[in-house]
Amino acid sequence: MKKEFPLTNIIRHTLIVFFMLTILLPLAWVLLLSIKSMPDSMRGSLWPRKFDFNHYTYVFEKIDTLPQNLFNSIYVTSATVLITSVCAVLAGYAIVHLKPKGSLFLVTVLVLSLYFPTRVVSIISVYEIQDYLSLINSTNGLILPYITLNLAVSVLIMRSIFQLVPGELIDSARMDGAGPWRTLWLIGIPLAKNGLVVIIIVNFVTAWGEYLLAATLTNDQEVRTMPVVLASAQGGMGQWAWPRIAAVYVIVVLPGIIAFAMAQKLFFKGLMDGALKT
Amino acid sequence: MSQDLLWATLLWLPTRGETAKVTTGNPAINGPTPKSWLVEHNNWVFLLPTVLFFVWYQVYPIVRVVWISFTDYKYLTNDPANWVGFDNYVEALSDPLMWDSLGRAAYFTAMFLPGTIIIPLLLAVLIHGVQNQRLATVYRVILLIPAVIPSTLVFVLWKWMYNYQIGPINHFLVEVTGWFTYRNAPQWLGGTDLTLPSVAIMEVWWGLGYHSVFFLAGLAAIPKDLPEAARIDGAGEWQVFWHIILPRLQPIMLILVILRFGTSMGVIDEYLIFGGFNRESPTYTWTIFMYDQAFKTGLWRQGFAAAIGMVGSLAMMVFVTWLIYIFRSRD
């Protein structure tokens, strides 16, 4: 690399910092809003004159349905992530290393479904299915359609991950007498760990923030998930005064960012290594 | 565009997988020997959960929607649905709202797509030149933060950002700079001409970091001696970028363009949250038109709604095919 002039470098870093601030400022703003005192929240200035950290306890004590909504979100998201990951690991492993008949066809259909606006168009019929199964207005019922939201992508990711596991390893395990299940458990999964982290994050982000299905398939506040509650909350006075909604917002958005921060190294490994090495 | 993160992975992992396949050779042990019936069916068990859920909530619904679109199916009546042929399609195509709503989606896409490709590309080129490794890592982590914020939370955040009372954007325009007063401050999301550009800005913000990571990975894959050699031959920085860097990023751009075209034409959550069901609003696109007819108008004319959905989807598919075609022919 050519040695850079200091001036180019200054311009470069100024521009980068500008973009970084663009990304971070909205988040900083909402975080600050959640710890502003009431009068400060009415004024627009970014930095409050007086901090008030009580909004966080207030929302749990005074908004009746909030604990329930939060629980619904956690419950639906965990179930979705767990089931989708299991499906994706099994299918990815089988497609690459067991090659049952029809797996090529399955992969083709999965890829095709990504190019079609399935999520939007299928809602008409998904409503009908849920109604038929009496799952309208049920938190449990959301889990089923949620599983398929990212199923195709998760399977394709796991397929690519299992392609990295050398066939010889799997074969030698099988020669030693291990069945396909034992091989997957002892050889496959440990080697596919990074990919698993990626699909867990991906499915978490989708299920945790899903709006369309949740808003369409549920009616009562107690069975709804956090995204629907937040999207329908009109900021104003009382329970939903601005700093209080902002506190709810921070409570909802933080788990994802913390989880990403913790899994960040593993995630980049899954994401970047491949690109950098090839 | 809720499928953000995963696509980054989808792009990179297959390339890695293919090289691994080449190096290992992988002659499957049971390739030549015919599998017994039992083994074959045991293997199918692994695919069963995926196939079950996929057929149940993706394949069947789409087939069903196609069928509904040829009937006068109404959700609320008990009468059996009658086959009406192409009536719903004729009605949809002769409704000016169908064309307006498709046009709105296309207008949004035309604003959003260039921004979400070009700005991250520039940012990636800037960050790629950072020589301090620690700083580069910090930048990269910040870049991915918006990608782990779930879709709805991004929309809610920006709904507040654009809020005309407490929103920091109008605060800046009114109180910090004094360019506007609260009386004439812009109504960003109020169904005005500014609404679709505002949504586009939000979407560009959301994809900014994560698309940059995409391009960074692509830049890292370009061998260092290629631009070096060109510089020694006397090429300027601009020429190096135009003739060496850009052509090698084209596969990534193809994927981003197709992907983001699909997501931006099919936007629905944002418009439900910002816009509501005012037919005059710029957020009343074909997706909202469909949703409105299927669930909101009180008639629940799902046959007609299904036809609207199919028209929108087919228009998208035709355009995507064309996009793939023009990008392919340049290689």
Side-chain angles (χ1 to χ4, degrees):
Chain A
M1 275 263 168
K2 177 172 77 168
K3 192 107 176 96
E4 284 196 58
F5 300 114
L7 185 65
T8 341
N9 229 347
I10 290 170
I11 295 174
R12 179 192 300 281
H13 281 273
T14 316
L15 280 170
I16 294 176
V17 168
F18 167 77
F19 280 116
M20 295 296 143
L21 285 178
T22 313
I23 291 176
L24 292 177
L25 269 180
L27 298 166
W29 171 77
V30 78
L31 186 64
L32 278 169
L33 180 61
S34 75
I35 50 174
K36 277 179 186 174
S37 62
M38 275 309 171
D40 279 337
S41 73
M42 299 296 173
R43 270 190 293 274
S45 50
L46 188 64
W47 199 258
R49 290 180 216 172
K50 194 165 164 284
F51 286 99
D52 182 354
F53 294 92
N54 292 324
H55 304 305
Y56 285 89
T57 45
Y58 177 95
V59 293
F60 277 110
E61 281 163 9
K62 294 288 160 67
I63 305 177
D64 303 336
T65 50
L66 192 75
Q68 182 64 42
N69 296 138
L70 199 59
F71 172 78
N72 291 347
S73 272
I74 294 171
Y75 169 62
V76 171
T77 307
S78 334
T80 306
V81 168
L82 182 73
I83 299 174
T84 315
S85 306
V86 170
C87 291
V89 167
L90 292 181
Y93 168 72
I95 289 168
V96 176
H97 292 291
L98 304 176
K99 301 191 184 68
K101 275 191 196 103
S103 29
L104 187 69
F105 176 71
L106 179 65
V107 171
T108 315
V109 176
L110 291 177
V111 171
L112 280 180
S113 78
L114 298 177
Y115 286 92
F116 193 81
T118 320
R119 191 177 69 98
V120 175
V121 177
S122 67
I123 184 102
I124 297 173
S125 170
V126 167
Y127 187 93
E128 208 187 11
I129 297 174
Q130 299 298 84
D131 187 50
Y132 182 75
L133 301 172
S134 311
L135 290 175
I136 297 291
N137 207 16
S138 137
T139 314
N140 279 314
L142 290 177
I143 297 169
L144 292 169
Y146 275 19
I147 291 167
T148 40
L149 282 178
N150 273 335
L151 186 61
V153 168
S154 305
V155 171
L156 293 173
I157 290 175
M158 282 325 282
R159 169 176 162 262
S160 323
I161 291 282
F162 277 112
Q163 280 174 344
L164 301 182
V165 178
E168 289 90 342
L169 260 178
I170 304 282
D171 297 339
S172 64
R174 242 183 293 165
M175 301 249 207
D176 293 344
W181 294 93
R182 246 179 97 77
T183 316
L184 171 63
W185 187 250
L186 295 177
I187 315 272
I189 291 187
L191 287 172
K193 229 171 24 198
N194 287 347
L196 204 54
V197 171
V198 172
I199 61 168
I200 287 173
I201 292 184
V202 159
N203 281 293
F204 167 81
V205 171
T206 312
W208 190 247
E210 206 286 332
Y211 176 81
L212 181 64
L213 287 161
T216 312
L217 302 175
T218 62
N219 306 313
D220 297 332
Q221 190 77 355
E222 310 87 73
V223 300
R224 294 199 142 163
T225 51
M226 288 311 292
V228 186
V229 173
L230 267 171
S232 56
Q234 294 296 332
M237 300 305 293
Q239 281 189 343
W240 294 111
W242 283 109
R244 289 172 185 151
I245 316 190
V248 176
Y249 185 90
V250 173
I251 293 167
V252 178
V253 85
L254 224 48
I257 297 181
I258 290 174
F260 167 67
M262 290 196 301
Q264 183 254 112
K265 276 216 174 108
L266 280 173
F267 182 78
F268 271 112
K269 241 189 160 133
L271 193 72
M272 299 283 289
D273 271 13
L276 295 176
K277 274 179 195 160
T278 45
Chain B
M1 57 188 224
S2 56
Q3 296 182 338
D4 255 47
L5 268 169
L6 36 114
W7 277 100
T9 12
L10 201 63
L11 174 72
W12 290 114
L13 297 174
T15 48
R16 200 180 162 196
E18 266 144 37
T19 51
K21 220 164 46 184
V22 174
T23 47
T24 56
N26 190 15
I29 185 163
N30 40 16
T33 48
K35 294 178 208 173
S36 75
W37 184 89
L38 195 72
V39 171
E40 179 66 36
H41 284 258
N42 188 15
N43 290 347
W44 249 97
V45 173
F46 288 82
L47 295 183
L48 206 60
T50 298
V51 171
L52 176 78
F53 282 115
F54 193 71
V55 170
W56 189 3
Y57 278 100
Q58 302 243 287
V59 179
Y60 168 77
I62 292 296
V63 174
R64 170 87 182 151
V65 166
V66 172
W67 183 79
I68 288 177
S69 73
F70 289 103
T71 67
D72 61 357
Y73 182 79
K74 276 186 197 163
Y75 177 74
L76 284 181
T77 58
N78 290 320
D79 308 334
N82 300 306
W83 183 265
V84 294
F86 280 94
D87 282 8
N88 289 323
Y89 287 89
V90 171
E91 188 184 344
L93 290 173
S94 54
D95 190 336
L97 196 55
M98 180 80 239
W99 299 101
D100 282 354
S101 60
L102 264 176
R104 287 165 187 159
Y107 173 55
F108 171 76
T109 306
M111 281 186 296
F112 159 76
L113 210 51
T116 209
I117 306 282
I118 295 167
I119 300 173
L121 175 63
L122 291 179
L123 183 56
V125 170
L126 287 172
I127 294 182
H128 187 64
V130 172
Q131 268 140 32
N132 182 334
Q133 277 314 302
R134 200 167 288 170
L135 259 181
T137 311
V138 172
Y139 289 151
R140 227 178 281 158
V141 172
I142 295 178
L143 285 180
L144 270 184
I145 287 178
V148 289
I149 303 179
S151 52
T152 312
L153 297 175
V154 172
F155 312 147
V156 169
L157 174 61
W158 279 82
K159 192 177 159 189
W160 300 344
M161 294 279 295
Y162 283 128
N163 183 295
Y164 120 135
Q165 231 186 351
I166 63 136
I169 294 174
N170 273 7
H171 169 75
F172 179 79
L173 292 178
V174 175
E175 275 166 36
V176 179
T177 61
W179 291 337
F180 291 93
T181 65
Y182 274 114
R183 245 183 248 167
N184 64 5
Q187 283 263 16
W188 299 104
L189 295 178
T192 59
D193 290 343
L194 287 172
T195 304
L196 285 183
S198 307
V199 179
I201 289 171
M202 173 191 85
E203 302 277 353
V204 170
W205 178 85
W206 191 17
L208 172 64
Y210 141 85
H211 290 172
S212 303
V213 172
F214 235 79
F215 281 123
L216 273 173
L219 286 168
I222 298 174
K224 279 227 165 66
D225 40 337
L226 272 177
E228 284 294 278
R231 282 194 197 102
I232 290 167
D233 290 346
E237 283 304 308
W238 187 245
Q239 279 172 308
V240 169
F241 174 74
W242 201 248
H243 294 290
I244 311 268
I245 309 277
L246 209 55
R248 282 175 178 76
L249 293 178
Q250 209 183 338
I252 299 180
M253 283 166 80
L254 170 70
I255 291 200
L256 270 183
V257 167
I258 292 175
L259 179 67
R260 286 300 165 242
F261 174 80
T263 47
S264 58
M265 281 299 286
V267 164
I268 181 164
D269 303 54
E270 291 86 324
Y271 298 153
L272 286 175
I273 292 169
F274 297 147
F277 296 99
N278 175 5
R279 290 179 166 221
E280 301 303 316
S281 165
T283 56
Y284 199 90
T285 59
W286 68 274
T287 51
I288 299 291
F289 189 23
M290 183 201 86
Y291 192 91
D292 195 13
Q293 288 294 328
F295 299 110
K296 290 288 164 183
T297 51
L299 297 167
W300 294 61
R301 290 185 61 200
Q302 306 209 315
F304 183 46
I308 297 167
M310 291 313 295
V311 169
S313 310
L314 289 177
M316 276 175 66
M317 302 307 282
V318 169
F319 206 82
V320 165
T321 317
W322 180 70
L323 273 180
I324 294 176
Y325 175 76
I326 55 165
F327 265 87
R328 281 274 159 81
S329 63
R330 254 189 240 164
D331 279 353

